[in-house]
Structures are given as C-alpha cells and as structure tokens.
C-alpha cells in the first residue's frame, strides 16, 4: 500500500487546503466552513479541517510543519505567530483571517482584519435609550470576542457613559450552555443594575435567553438582549434574538480562495487581494 503522505511529498503537491480553527461546532463557523469548502471544491481543491479546541493544537501545528497541504487558512488566535512566520513560504502560503500578524514574510497574509471601532450592537442599544449596559464575552482566545469588547468600551466612552467593570461577564467559552451558565450564576443577580446586555456572539446569547425564560425574566421588558452573527438559532428564541448580520458572505470567501489559489500557483493576484481587507 502506497504511503499517501510520501507520495504527496514526492509530487510536492497535495491538492489540499488546510483550514485551522478553534471550534468547528459553533454555528458561526459552521457557516464559514460551508462557504470555504464550497469555494475550495469549485477551485478543484480538497478541504481539510483541524481544530485547536481545548488547547489541543499539536495536530494543526504538525500539519503546518510537515506541509500536509498546499496552503493554510488560519481563523484562530491559538496558532502562534512565530510558527506561522517560520513556515509560510512561496510554495506554502498561509492566510490568517480576522487578526493582524506582525510580519515581513510576504507569504503570510492577513485578511478580513477589523480595526477597533465602535461596536454596532452597543450603538444600537444606546440609540434606543439604554445607558446601563453590560457585556458578555465568549471564548477568550477568539479575536471576535476581543474586538467586540474593545468596541464596546469605545462606544461607551464616545457617548460619555461609564463602563462598570463588574457588568462585564466571562462565559468562558462560546456555546449556548456557556451562556446559560454565566447567566444563571452571575447575571441574574445583577439584573437591577442593567437595562441592556450585549453578547459577543449569538451562541451564548441564545443560551442566556433560555435561562431568562426559565426564570420568568421577560425580554425586553426587564432587560434588552442583543447578539452578533445572525445564526439560524437566533430566530428560534422567544422572543427572536436581536442580532447583527455577519458581513462575511459567500462571495467574500470565494474571493479569498481564488486569491489563495493565485498564491499556490505563485502568481499572486494583488488586485483581488485588496478586496479582502
């Protein structure tokens, strides 16, 4: 039986794109995976997923070090910048999504990078008249969580509103059960101190709303709740969760894969790449 890895090394081509993320079970990343695998299939590539959930990043790092793919897309903070810098090369391009990596390596590219800006969901609540607003973060290693919290602080500051640090809650992770738990253990006792509550993603917001309903907390009469990413489950809560639609559509991921393909072919499409920032 032929050793597939050895054959790929001999051919110096795997026809494979590796996608590294922390948690593939989250609703938001299910959409991302669906979009990326569709785009890679249309470009004639196979698609391999490696997760770093629970800090288990050894397999993902080994696949990168051993160049088990023609290119890599990294959508998590859990892979060290140093490793990405070391292994990205002309015949092994690496695209990092959502965060900036300080690098001079021309084959380590950062895309879909968001600058710190006022948080849209916070701006929405403030315009609705809310002033005592809390924030619930998800997985701490998620760049989305970090940017959302920074944006929340910026919005509050620009509107001259104080940020009560005791009203910033950590769900510990980004699943619905994490939202339920942090709500039951920490948030219910603080409801009188808030008139609005922002969640860094819809998954934990859905869990929190279930907890509120289980404890007969009426939304939005007692407290307003808002999430981010507009996952399908946000429409099934009672009442439907107010949320923010993600701007990362199928067309963007299609352009991303086409751009990555141009790097794999060593003919970088710099004009197309400009559309990814």
């Amino acid at each position: 039986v032929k050793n597939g890895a050895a054959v790929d090394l001999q051919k110096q081509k795997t026809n494979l794109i590796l996608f590294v993320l922390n948690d593939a079970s989250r609703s938001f990343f299910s959409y991302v995976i669906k979009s990326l695998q569709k785009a890679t299939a249309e470009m004639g590539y196979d698609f391999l997923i490696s997760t770093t959930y629970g800090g288990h990043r050894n397999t993902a790092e080994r696949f990168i070090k051993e160049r088990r793919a023609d290119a890599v897309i990294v959508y998590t903070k859990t892979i060290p910048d140093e490793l990405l810098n070391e292994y990205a090369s002309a015949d092994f391009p690496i695209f990092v999504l959502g965060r900036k990596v300080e690098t001079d390596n021309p084959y380590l590219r950062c895309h879909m990078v968001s600058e710190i800006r006022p948080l849209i969901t916070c701006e929405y609540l403030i315009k609705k008249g809310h002033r005592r607003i809390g924030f619930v973060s998800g997985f701490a290693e998620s760049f989305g969580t970090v940017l959302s919290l920074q944006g929340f602080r910026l919005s509050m500051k620009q509107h001259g509103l104080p940020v009560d640090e005791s009203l910033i809650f950590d769900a510990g992770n980004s699943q619905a059960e994490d939202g339920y738990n942090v709500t039951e253990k920490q948030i219910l006792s603080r409801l009188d101190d808030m008139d609005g509550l922002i969640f860094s993603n819809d998954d934990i917001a859905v869990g929190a709303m279930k907890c509120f309903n289980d404890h007969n907390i009426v939304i939005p009469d007692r407290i307003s709740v808002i999430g981010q990413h507009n996952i399908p489950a946000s429409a099934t809560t009672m009442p439907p969760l107010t949320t923010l639609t993600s701007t990362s559509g199928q067309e963007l991921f299609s352009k991303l894969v086409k751009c990555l393909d141009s790097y794999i072919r060593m003919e970088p499409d710099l004009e197309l790449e400009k559309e990814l920032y």
Side-chain angles (χ1 to χ4, degrees):
V1 178
K2 290 183 178 180
N3 184 304
V7 172
D8 287 339
L9 285 172
Q10 187 179 32
K11 293 188 302 182
Q12 295 186 327
K13 186 172 177 59
T14 66
N15 207 48
L16 183 69
I17 291 178
L18 173 65
F19 181 46
V20 181
L21 73 165
N22 179 65
D23 185 359
S25 67
R26 281 187 54 199
S27 299
F28 171 71
F29 282 108
S30 295
Y31 167 75
V32 173
I33 290 169
K34 180 180 179 180
S35 300
L36 282 174
Q37 69 181 8
K38 182 176 184 295
T40 52
E42 289 174 348
M43 295 298 295
Y45 291 97
D46 293 320
F47 189 61
L48 176 66
I49 300 169
S50 182
T51 68
T52 60
Y53 187 80
H56 299 287
R57 68 190 198 201
N58 290 344
T59 298
E61 291 188 359
R62 178 163 52 84
F63 281 8
I64 292 172
K65 292 176 181 178
E66 296 177 0
R67 301 180 181 231
R68 294 287 190 91
D70 292 337
V72 187
I73 301 172
V74 178
Y75 207 169
T76 175
K77 289 175 60 181
T78 52
I79 301 297
D81 294 356
E82 295 77 15
L83 185 142
L84 300 176
N85 257 313
E86 180 179 355
Y87 287 95
S89 61
D91 58 353
F92 190 63
I94 299 177
F95 278 15
V96 178
L97 305 188
R99 65 185 173 100
K100 189 69 175 176
V101 177
E102 295 300 327
T103 180
D104 295 324
N105 188 333
Y107 305 105
L108 177 58
R109 314 299 293 176
C110 302
H111 300 297
M112 296 163 55
V113 179
S114 298
E115 302 295 333
I116 300 172
R117 62 190 66 180
L119 187 64
I120 296 176
T121 51
C122 187
E123 297 290 312
Y124 178 84
L125 287 183
I126 292 173
K127 288 180 180 178
K128 289 289 185 180
H130 298 276
R131 296 295 180 267
R132 296 175 294 115
I133 303 173
F135 183 90
V136 185
S137 64
F139 179 55
E141 290 296 318
S142 165
F143 54 83
T145 291
V146 173
L147 286 174
S148 293
L149 181 54
Q150 291 174 336
F152 166 70
R153 294 184 187 278
L154 180 59
S155 290
M156 296 291 280
K157 179 180 179 180
Q158 289 186 348
H159 287 274
L161 299 174
V163 175
D164 186 340
E165 296 296 329
S166 69
L167 297 180
I168 297 178
F169 306 95
D170 182 6
N173 216 320
S174 295
Q175 300 289 358
E177 56 264 32
D178 303 306
Y180 191 104
N181 291 336
V182 72
T183 301
E184 189 170 51
K185 296 176 181 178
Q186 300 181 40
I187 295 174
L188 289 180
S189 63
R190 300 297 306 276
L191 286 181
D192 290 338
D193 301 320
M194 295 178 285
D195 57 13
L197 192 56
I198 298 170
F199 290 82
S200 62
N201 65 67
D202 284 351
D203 297 276
I204 52 177
V206 167
M209 290 185 72
K210 184 178 188 310
C211 182
F212 284 141
N213 288 331
D214 288 350
H215 289 81
N216 299 313
I217 304 298
V218 180
I219 302 169
D221 296 354
R222 181 73 184 277
I223 188 169
S224 292
V225 174
I226 190 167
Q228 296 187 81
H229 300 323
N230 193 23
I231 65 173
S234 65
T236 67
T237 59
M238 187 60 65
L241 172 65
T242 300
T243 183
L244 176 69
T245 300
S246 173
T247 58
S248 300
Q250 173 62 47
E251 183 180 358
L252 181 60
F253 287 114
S254 178
K255 290 180 179 179
L256 177 80
V257 173
K258 288 179 180 178
C259 185
L260 185 58
D261 172 65
S262 74
Y263 271 85
I264 293 172
R265 291 184 286 104
M266 297 187 183
E267 300 174 351
D269 189 336
L270 301 182
E271 290 301 316
L272 179 60
E273 188 169 20
K274 291 178 182 178
E275 301 178 27
L276 302 176
Y277 287 96

